Amino acid sequence: MATETGPRLDVETGGVPTVVLVVGFVGVQLLAFAAAYTTGRPTWYAYFIIGSTAVTAYLLDGSSFVVASATLGSVLLVALGLPLFLFVARQTPSLVVEKATDPDVHRVLYLGVYGPLLAALLSLAFGIPLAHLLSEGFPGQPLVESLVDLPLVVPHSVAGILILFGFGEGGAFPSVSVLGSMVGMVLAMAFVAAPYAVNATREAFEAIDHRLEYASRIHGANRWETFRRVTGPLATRGMVTGGVLAWARAVSEFGAVAVVAYSVEFFYPLAGERVTAQHAPVFVYNTYLQGGLEESGAVAFLLLAVSAVIFLLVRYLTDDDTTGGMP
C-alpha cells in the first residue's frame, strides 16, 4: 500500500486484474447514470460519482491524500463528463439516423475531417523545424515563443480578422484568394492549431539525450544525417502527438473559420465533383439557428462520434503496446 509520502500511487488490487476493476467501475457508473436519468434526477448521479470515486480511492489506497485528490478531481470530471452523458442520452435515434443519411451532412463531415487534416499537416511541415530550433535555443527566443503562443489567447473571431488582414485583399499574397476559399479555411485553422504542433514537438526534442546526437556527429554524420537518423526518429511520438492535437483543435475551430471562409468549394470524392459546404462547427451553429437544439444536437452527435473514432484510432496506432514501441 502506498504511503502519503510515496513517489507514486501503488494500487493493490488483491489479485484482480486492473482492467476488470476499471470495467467494473465504468459499468457501475453507467448503470447509476441510467437509473438517475430515467428517474429524471441527473443531479443524483453527480453526487453518486463523487461519492463512489472517494470510496473507491479509499478501498484501493486508503491514504487521505489520494482520497482527497480523487474526490476533488472527480468534481472536474463531473463538469466535463455529465454534459457529455446527458447529450448522448437525450439524442433522438431516428433523427440521428436521418441526419446520418443526409448527403449534405456527409459533405460537412468530410470537410470537417479533411480541412483540419490539411491544417495539421501544414502546422507540422513548418512547425517541426521551428520546434527543433526552439529546443536548441537562440538569441531572441522569448520573442519567438510569445509569437508562437499568441494564437492561444487571441479570441477566435480576432484570429479570423488577422488572417484577412495578413493574407486577404491587400495582404502579403495578393494573388492568393483567401476569403471564402479552401486556402483561407486551412490558414485560419492552422493559425489556431500551430501552437499545439510546435509545443508538443519541441517537448519531444528537448527530451532527447543530446549525447546521442553528439555521438552521431563524432562518428562523421552531418547535422542533416543526425536529424534524419537520430533526432527525428526519437521525436516521432511528439510529432504525432502534436499533429493529433493540432488536428483536434482545427476540428473544433469556429470563430476564425466563420470570418474567413463561411462556405467553401472543394472537390468531394464521393460525388466526383466540386461541391460547396461549411465547416462542421459553422454548419452545426446554422442548424441550431434554423432547426433548433434537437436537430443541431443530432449533427453534433455525428461529428462527435466521427472525431472520437479518428482520435482513438490514432492514439491506438501510436501506442507502445500496439506498435511494439514507437521511437
Side-chain angles (χ1 to χ4, degrees), residues 54-323:
V55 172
T56 303
Y58 177 77
L59 294 176
L60 291 177
D61 187 84
S63 68
S64 59
F65 178 80
V66 172
V67 173
S69 299
T71 303
L72 294 175
S74 65
V75 175
L76 179 59
L77 292 179
V78 168
L80 296 175
L82 190 58
L84 179 62
F85 289 168
L86 289 173
F87 168 74
V88 173
R90 295 176 64 182
Q91 294 304 309
T92 304
S94 59
L95 186 57
V96 173
V97 173
E98 178 185 336
K99 293 298 181 183
T101 57
D102 187 344
D104 289 339
V105 175
H106 295 168
R107 297 174 183 178
V108 169
L109 294 178
Y110 175 80
L111 183 62
V113 174
Y114 173 64
L117 177 62
L118 294 179
L121 293 176
L122 182 67
S123 300
L124 285 176
F126 297 99
I128 290 174
L130 178 58
H132 188 255
L133 290 176
L134 290 172
S135 70
E136 294 190 331
F138 54 85
Q141 180 168 336
L143 180 62
V144 176
E145 290 175 339
S146 300
L147 185 60
V148 170
D149 291 336
L150 183 63
L152 297 176
V153 297
V154 169
H156 298 178
S157 56
V158 175
I161 297 296
L162 293 178
I163 292 295
L164 291 180
F165 269 94
F167 304 107
E169 185 178 356
F173 304 99
S175 60
V176 178
S177 176
V178 171
L179 184 62
S181 70
M182 190 71 184
V183 173
M185 190 182 80
V186 173
L187 282 175
M189 292 178 175
F191 184 86
V192 298
Y196 297 90
V198 173
N199 291 331
T201 307
R202 174 189 173 182
E203 291 177 2
F205 284 136
E206 290 177 341
I208 296 174
D209 188 345
H210 292 291
R211 289 176 295 183
L212 297 175
E213 297 174 311
Y214 177 75
S216 174
R217 295 294 303 278
I218 64 175
H219 282 85
N222 58 34
R223 298 200 67 174
W224 286 102
E225 292 172 332
T226 299
F227 184 87
R228 180 170 62 87
R229 296 180 177 179
V230 179
T231 311
L234 290 175
T236 299
R237 179 171 298 281
M239 297 177 192
V240 173
T241 299
V244 172
L245 292 175
W247 176 82
R249 180 64 190 83
V251 167
S252 63
E253 178 54 28
F254 171 77
V257 173
V259 171
V260 177
Y262 188 80
S263 297
V264 297
E265 184 179 284
F266 61 98
F267 179 76
Y268 184 48
L270 297 181
E273 61 182 0
R274 297 185 68 81
V275 300
T276 300
Q278 297 170 334
H279 184 37
V282 179
F283 183 82
V284 170
Y285 179 69
N286 284 334
T287 306
Y288 169 71
L289 294 179
Q290 299 171 7
L293 186 60
E294 194 172 9
E295 282 199 25
S296 61
V299 179
F301 177 82
L302 295 172
L303 177 63
L304 181 66
V306 171
S307 300
V309 169
I310 294 177
F311 188 82
L312 292 175
L313 180 62
V314 172
R315 284 295 189 187
Y316 174 78
L317 294 176
T318 56
D319 188 80
D320 278 338
D321 294 335
T322 55
T323 60

